[in-house]
Amino acid sequence: MANGKRMTVRFSVLISIMSITPIRSAMSKKMTMKKMFAGVFVAVVALMSVAEAATVSVDWDDPVGIVKPVNGVGQPPMIGAPTSFPMMRYLKEAGIPYARLHDVGGVYGQFRYVDIPNIFRDFDADETDPKSYSFAYTDALMKALDENGVEPFFRLGVTIDNPVGAGFPGYFIDPPKDFAKWARICEHVIRHYTEGWADGFRMKVTYWEIWNEPDNQPDAKQNPLWNAPFSEFIRLYGVVAPYLKAKFPHLKIGGYSSCGFYAGVGAEQVAAAHSSPRMEYFIDCATNFLAAAQQNSWPLDFFSYHSYSHPTEALRQVRYADELLNRYGFTADKTERIFNEWLPYVSHDTLGTAKQATGIAAEMIGLQNGPCDLACIYDARCNVGNYSPLFNPLTYKPHKAYYAFTAFNELRKLGTAVRAKVSGASSLVAAAAKGTGGAAVMILNDSNAEVPLVCDFGGREVVACRLTDDTHTDASLPLPKTLAPRAFVIVLLK
C-alpha cells in the first residue's frame, strides 16, 4: 500500500466493483449490499496479497568474489551415534562445508563427545600421556564428518549447561584451574586430529575456537557457560591463543562466540538466544576483549558471534560486528568474520514451514552479500525442540529448510558469485553464480504476498528450476511467472 500507483489501481478496481453491483429493489437492497461488500472485501484482500512486480537481472560479466561457505551447520545429526551416522549423508548431499562442534557433548551427547572435560576426563592427569585422553566417541564423530566431506569446526570448551540459569549447579563450566595446562591439553587434542598423535588422524580441521559465549550472563551464578567474570575469560584467551598459534601457525585460532550485537543496532531481545536481556553487556565484553587482544597483540584469526534475530536485523548486526572489528584494527584481511550460531523465526510453529525455510534462505544470501566469511546455522541435529530446523525427528527426513541449503549449494559448486539485481518488489532477494558447469540464480520471496516475476538472465537458457513454498518442497517446475509468498527457487542455466 506504500506504492501510490498500486493504491490508485486498487481503489479504481474497488470503485468499478461497486459501480456494477446491481441494486434491484428496496426489499433486496440489504442482502445485495451485504453481498456487495463481501465481494469488495474479498477483492481487496486478493489485490493486497499481490505485491508489485519484480525484475531480477544478472550481470554475468560482473564477478563479486567467491560464493562463500555461509552454508555451514552446527551440531550435526547424531542419529545412530556412535556406531553409525546414517543421516550424515544429507550433509554430503547438500554440500555442507563445515559442521561446528558445539553443544555436541552434553545431555544428548551423554557427556562423551568433543568437550575438553569429556576428552580429558581427569584434569590432574598427565597431559602428555595418550592414556589420559578419551578420544573414542569424538573419533567416531570426526570420522563420520570427514567421510561425508564435511570439515569439523572444533570448539575447544564446553557444552551449555542450561539448568544453571534456573539455580541448578553446573558441572563443567568453571574456568580451567590451570590455564597453561588447559592450553597444552588443547594442543594434544589438535595434534590427535591433525598430526596423528595418539593413534589419531591427519584430518583437515582449520578452525579451533576457544570457548563459546563466556559473555552469556553478567552474573556468573546465572551463566550456563562460564562460571566466572568475563575478565577471567579474557585472561584465558591471552594464555591459550598465543600458545596454540605458536604451535600451529598454519591453523586458525580464534573465538569467542559472542552472544551478539543486538544492542549495537537497537534490535529487540530474542528469547530464543537464551542469553542475558542486558544486551549492552555483550558489547561491553566484546570491546574489552578486542581492546586487550589489540593491546597485547594476541592472535585472532577469526572472531565468532551469534544472532537469533529476524534476517534483516541479523544482517544489520553482521555489519555492526564488522565495523567494531575494524575499529580495533582487526580488519578483514587479518581476522575472519564468522557467524556461527544463527536461526530466524525460532518457534515450534515455524519448524518445517516455508516461512522459516525462506527466512533461512534470505539470511544466507544476505550473509553471502555482506561482511561475513563463514556461517553455521544452529543447528543440524535431528531432535525435538525449536533448534532443529533441517530435519524432522519423527521421520528422519528433511524439513523444507534443508532445501535452502541444497539450493545455495548449487551456487557454491559453481564458485564465482556475480552481481544479481532486483528492481521492484523489496521483498525479493537474489544471488547468482557462474562456473565451468554453467550458471545458477537463487531467488526468494520472504513476504506474505505473491510477487509477479520478470527474469533477465542475459540470454542464458533455463535448464532446471526447483521451487519450495507452502505447497511445494524442492519441486521441479517451470520457472514461475509469479513467486508465491514464503518461497524460493533455484534456477539452473546454461
Side-chain angles (χ1 to χ4, degrees), residues 180-198:
K181 181 172 183 177
W182 195 82
R184 295 193 299 274
I185 294 167
C186 293
E187 173 197 354
H188 287 85
V189 172
I190 296 172
R191 292 198 187 283
H192 177 74
Y193 289 111
T194 66
E195 296 181 357
W197 181 79

Side-chain angles (χ1 to χ4, degrees), residues 322-477:
D322 176 60
E323 293 166 2
L324 184 66
L325 288 163
N326 287 338
R327 195 183 312 161
Y328 285 89
F330 295 103
T331 51
D333 59 320
K334 299 176 184 176
T335 300
E336 291 185 30
R337 283 83 166 118
I338 294 184
F339 192 47
N340 61 9
E341 278 191 30
W342 64 275
L343 179 62
Y345 309 132
V346 183
S347 79
H348 280 294
D349 294 337
T350 57
L351 282 173
T353 66
K355 176 181 175 65
Q356 187 172 63
T358 305
I360 286 169
E363 197 155 333
M364 261 195 291
I365 290 179
L367 293 170
Q368 165 63 29
N369 294 333
C372 177
D373 295 295
L374 186 156
C376 299
I377 198 169
Y378 192 91
D379 55 24
R381 70 181 120 178
C382 182
N383 205 351
V384 295
N386 293 344
Y387 301 93
S388 302
L390 303 189
F391 300 109
N392 186 328
L394 300 181
T395 64
Y396 295 172
K397 300 295 184 182
H399 280 316
K400 288 180 184 287
Y402 171 80
Y403 296 100
F405 284 81
T406 62
F408 192 86
N409 186 47
E410 297 292 351
L411 306 180
R412 281 268 299 158
K413 288 189 294 186
L414 293 164
T416 301
V418 296
R419 194 169 304 282
K421 181 182 178 182
V422 178
S423 56
S426 60
S427 64
L428 251 64
V429 179
K434 67 178 182 179
T436 55
V441 183
M442 187 173 175
I443 310 168
L444 64 91
N445 175 17
D446 188 19
S447 78
N448 295 322
E450 63 181 29
V451 178
L453 184 62
V454 177
C455 295
D456 177 5
F457 295 148
R460 287 184 180 265
E461 180 184 346
V462 174
V463 296
C465 178
R466 299 201 302 272
L467 170 71
T468 296
D469 61 14
D470 288 334
T471 57
H472 300 88
T473 302
D474 198 42
S476 294
L477 296 169

Side-chain angles (χ1 to χ4, degrees), residues 194-406:
T194 66
E195 296 181 357
W197 181 79
D199 296 321
F201 307 88
R202 296 186 180 275
M203 292 181 180
K204 183 184 180 185
V205 189
T206 305
Y207 295 93
W208 297 87
E209 182 179 42
I210 299 173
W211 222 263
N212 175 82
E213 293 188 1
D215 58 342
N216 191 281
Q217 295 283 343
D219 181 355
K221 293 180 180 179
Q222 298 291 314
N223 192 327
L225 283 152
W226 181 255
N227 186 25
F230 186 78
S231 58
E232 277 296 282
F233 170 75
I234 294 178
R235 195 168 69 85
L236 174 74
Y237 190 90
V239 172
V240 177
Y243 180 85
L244 294 181
K245 191 63 180 177
K247 297 293 182 180
F248 307 102
H250 58 294
L251 299 180
K252 295 182 179 180
I253 311 296
Y256 55 87
S257 281
S258 161
C259 284
F261 300 105
Y262 306 92
V265 298
E268 294 182 358
Q269 165 70 2
V270 181
H274 282 297
S275 57
S276 171
R278 290 176 54 184
M279 297 179 291
E280 294 81 3
Y281 174 72
F282 306 152
I283 294 180
D284 291 342
C285 291
T287 55
N288 290 339
F289 171 82
L290 294 173
Q294 180 189 49
Q295 182 178 356
N296 294 284
S297 299
W298 294 336
L300 186 63
D301 293 326
F302 63 89
F303 181 82
S304 51
Y305 61 99
H306 305 157
S307 175
Y308 290 87
S309 289
H310 178 281
T312 302
E313 290 294 328
L315 295 170
R316 289 176 62 210
Q317 294 160 41
V318 167
R319 292 190 289 273
Y320 179 92
D322 176 60
E323 293 166 2
L324 184 66
L325 288 163
N326 287 338
R327 195 183 312 161
Y328 285 89
F330 295 103
T331 51
D333 59 320
K334 299 176 184 176
T335 300
E336 291 185 30
R337 283 83 166 118
I338 294 184
F339 192 47
N340 61 9
E341 278 191 30
W342 64 275
L343 179 62
Y345 309 132
V346 183
S347 79
H348 280 294
D349 294 337
T350 57
L351 282 173
T353 66
K355 176 181 175 65
Q356 187 172 63
T358 305
I360 286 169
E363 197 155 333
M364 261 195 291
I365 290 179
L367 293 170
Q368 165 63 29
N369 294 333
C372 177
D373 295 295
L374 186 156
C376 299
I377 198 169
Y378 192 91
D379 55 24
R381 70 181 120 178
C382 182
N383 205 351
V384 295
N386 293 344
Y387 301 93
S388 302
L390 303 189
F391 300 109
N392 186 328
L394 300 181
T395 64
Y396 295 172
K397 300 295 184 182
H399 280 316
K400 288 180 184 287
Y402 171 80
Y403 296 100
F405 284 81
T406 62

Side-chain angles (χ1 to χ4, degrees), residues 77-248:
M78 301 282 284
I79 299 297
T83 55
S84 67
F85 295 81
M87 293 188 68
M88 291 290 190
R89 70 178 180 86
Y90 286 115
L91 304 190
K92 182 177 183 178
E93 290 168 7
I96 301 300
Y98 296 96
R100 179 178 179 245
L101 302 184
H102 169 63
D103 286 349
V104 177
V107 176
Y108 298 110
Q110 303 168 322
F111 301 101
R112 294 174 178 174
Y113 296 89
V114 177
D115 294 2
I116 295 301
N118 296 345
I119 292 175
F120 194 81
R121 304 182 78 87
D122 177 4
F123 196 82
D124 294 324
D126 179 1
E127 73 274 17
T128 65
D129 185 352
K131 295 179 182 178
S132 300
Y133 295 80
S134 179
F135 285 120
Y137 286 91
T138 306
D139 283 358
L141 172 59
M142 297 284 279
K143 285 170 62 179
L145 290 169
D146 188 60
E147 289 167 359
N148 284 278
V150 182
E151 183 175 341
F153 186 110
F154 206 108
R155 188 269 294 122
L156 300 165
V158 298
T159 290
I160 193 168
D161 201 343
N162 277 313
V164 168
F168 290 88
Y171 293 106
F172 301 107
I173 59 174
D174 291 337
K177 59 185 179 181
D178 181 337
F179 290 178
K181 181 172 183 177
W182 195 82
R184 295 193 299 274
I185 294 167
C186 293
E187 173 197 354
H188 287 85
V189 172
I190 296 172
R191 292 198 187 283
H192 177 74
Y193 289 111
T194 66
E195 296 181 357
W197 181 79
D199 296 321
F201 307 88
R202 296 186 180 275
M203 292 181 180
K204 183 184 180 185
V205 189
T206 305
Y207 295 93
W208 297 87
E209 182 179 42
I210 299 173
W211 222 263
N212 175 82
E213 293 188 1
D215 58 342
N216 191 281
Q217 295 283 343
D219 181 355
K221 293 180 180 179
Q222 298 291 314
N223 192 327
L225 283 152
W226 181 255
N227 186 25
F230 186 78
S231 58
E232 277 296 282
F233 170 75
I234 294 178
R235 195 168 69 85
L236 174 74
Y237 190 90
V239 172
V240 177
Y243 180 85
L244 294 181
K245 191 63 180 177
K247 297 293 182 180
F248 307 102

Side-chain angles (χ1 to χ4, degrees), residues 14-82:
L14 177 60
I15 291 167
S16 298
I17 293 169
M18 293 179 70
S19 68
I20 64 172
T21 303
I23 302 176
R24 295 183 178 178
S25 67
M27 180 75 93
S28 63
K29 188 178 288 185
K30 287 185 179 179
M31 288 186 63
T32 305
M33 290 296 287
K34 285 181 180 178
K35 290 179 181 178
M36 177 189 75
F37 283 112
V40 169
F41 177 77
V42 171
V44 170
V45 169
L47 285 164
M48 290 179 70
S49 66
V50 180
E52 181 182 5
T55 298
V56 177
S57 56
V58 181
D59 186 346
W60 302 107
D61 296 321
D62 188 5
V64 291
I66 64 166
V67 182
K68 297 182 288 189
V70 295
N71 56 330
V73 300
Q75 195 178 138
M78 301 282 284
I79 299 297

